[in-house]
Amino acid sequence: MSLRSLIVSAVISLGMVVAVQAQSFPVTVQHAYGESVIPEKPQRIVTWGWSTQDAVIALGEVPVGIPHFSYGGDENGALRWTKEAVAALGAEFPTILPAGGEPPVEAIAALQPDLILAVYSGLTQEQYDVLSGIAPVVAFPETVWDTSWQDTITITGEAIGKKAEAEALVAELEQFIADETAKYPQLAGTSFAAIAEWNGEINVYGDLDSRVQFLVNAGLTSAPSVAELAQGQDLYFMLSFENLDRLTSDVLVTYFETPETDAAFFGNSVIALAPQVAKGAVARVVGAELINSVSPPSALSLKWGYPQYIKLIADAATAAGK
């Protein structure tokens, strides 16, 4: 079944399940910067940060403005699964906001939003205060860039009047993950360490990183060596090439934006000596689009990327002798 068919089917089925009891307004949403009151069902939604736009669209609404995604997006900054989902709904694609690390206040104001969603973002208190002068703003629940994909969906659903639909969508996607993972019994008990290269060193993702949490929630085990070497740096830490052998695990999961950077890393003679590399027990995740779809996933990217992602890890587990 195509992604378009899956989206249409999901939106229809979710609507049938929960149409009997529509959510009432006003709605008050708690977040890291206090609480925001949404007086009535929003009609003009702007999203900021990562994945919130996909949560809105997966719930059958289309924002008027979304961020520009240079990493994994097309020449206009649009993500493949977002484009396909909007087309499946038969809607006009949202305005893509100017690229940049800070919210483009003037561009957002020009869209005349009645709700700004920054549920998974790095929004600062100052930025929140400025945007709140335009429309109610829903920020992340506790910490910047640390909202789970499940919470991103449910908080978005609550804010736009589709709380029940959001909860149903999370349950559906969690079952999808379980079903896909169950195809590979060799993953049971498999430990992993997730890495990339940064400035000539190995960037090891810690146990609180969203990539690691996602795989742990899917049933894999973060290798004990990750926490041991992290020494309290739970999001990420750096490791020299020569010390990669200290990162003991059944498999390595590596992330490289291009085939060229992937090949250069594994062409290094020191890297080739690591036990996982020598066995071929490496899930080499290559390409910004695939990486973007699973680290972390969104309400729309998960079904697109997870089957490819988990198969790479399962093949690495097989090479490890699992």
Side-chain angles (χ1 to χ4, degrees), residues 5-311:
S5 299
L6 284 169
I7 294 165
V8 172
S9 175
V11 170
I12 292 173
S13 62
L14 285 170
M16 292 175 63
V17 169
V18 299
V20 293
Q21 186 174 3
Q23 183 176 320
S24 60
F25 283 85
V27 168
T28 301
V29 182
Q30 306 286 334
H31 52 77
Y33 298 133
E35 62 179 34
S36 297
V37 177
I38 304 163
E40 55 188 7
K41 181 174 174 59
Q43 303 297 318
R44 297 184 62 81
I45 302 165
V46 167
T47 68
W48 182 251
W50 164 244
S51 80
T52 308
Q53 77 289 339
D54 286 352
V56 175
I57 296 165
L59 292 170
E61 307 287 342
V62 179
V64 294
I66 64 174
H68 179 283
F69 293 99
S70 56
Y71 190 84
D74 64 13
E75 64 278 5
N76 297 314
L79 299 166
R80 178 198 299 246
W81 43 87
T82 307
K83 292 190 293 183
E84 292 179 355
V86 172
L89 292 172
E92 182 178 345
F93 198 79
T95 295
I96 296 178
L97 297 168
E102 297 185 1
V105 175
E106 292 184 3
I108 291 173
L111 293 172
Q112 300 182 312
D114 50 16
L115 176 63
I116 301 169
L117 294 174
V119 179
Y120 181 46
S121 73
L123 198 70
T124 66
Q125 177 75 64
E126 181 180 1
Q127 292 166 352
Y128 169 79
D129 292 341
V130 171
L131 292 176
S132 294
I134 300 172
V137 180
V138 178
F140 41 85
E142 294 181 358
T143 310
V144 298
W145 300 117
D146 193 37
T147 313
S148 69
W149 66 264
Q150 294 97 326
D151 286 347
T152 299
I153 294 172
T154 56
I155 294 169
T156 297
E158 182 180 9
I160 68 173
K162 294 193 171 185
K163 181 177 180 179
E165 291 97 322
E167 292 171 350
L169 178 58
V170 168
E172 176 197 339
L173 292 174
E174 287 181 336
Q175 187 61 53
F176 175 81
I177 291 171
D179 291 344
E180 288 295 314
T181 307
K183 294 177 180 178
Y184 308 104
Q186 67 268 41
L187 290 173
T190 294
S191 67
F192 72 94
I195 66 172
E197 182 184 1
W198 180 254
N199 286 341
E201 291 188 290
I202 296 169
N203 180 13
V204 183
Y205 296 108
D207 286 344
L208 292 186
D209 181 82
S210 58
R211 301 162 186 78
V212 176
Q213 291 181 339
F214 178 43
L215 290 176
V216 169
N217 290 338
L220 283 77
T221 301
S222 178
S225 65
V226 174
E228 292 167 4
L229 293 170
Q231 297 183 335
Q233 301 177 76
D234 294 328
L235 281 176
Y236 70 92
F237 60 94
M238 307 308 293
L239 198 66
S240 69
F241 283 14
E242 291 76 14
N243 286 322
L244 180 56
D245 60 348
R246 298 176 60 194
L247 192 64
T248 56
S249 63
D250 292 322
V251 305
L252 288 177
V253 184
T254 64
Y255 305 88
F256 287 95
E257 187 171 346
T258 67
E260 292 76 18
T261 53
D262 173 82
F265 180 78
F266 287 103
N268 186 299
S269 58
V270 175
I271 299 300
L273 294 175
Q276 303 96 321
V277 178
K279 290 181 181 178
V282 183
R284 295 163 68 163
V285 185
V286 180
E289 190 172 55
L290 179 56
I291 293 171
N292 222 355
S293 72
V294 292
S295 59
S298 75
L300 295 175
S301 72
L302 197 153
K303 286 189 175 181
W304 184 89
Y306 189 69
Q308 304 172 63
Y309 187 47
I310 200 62
K311 185 180 185 305

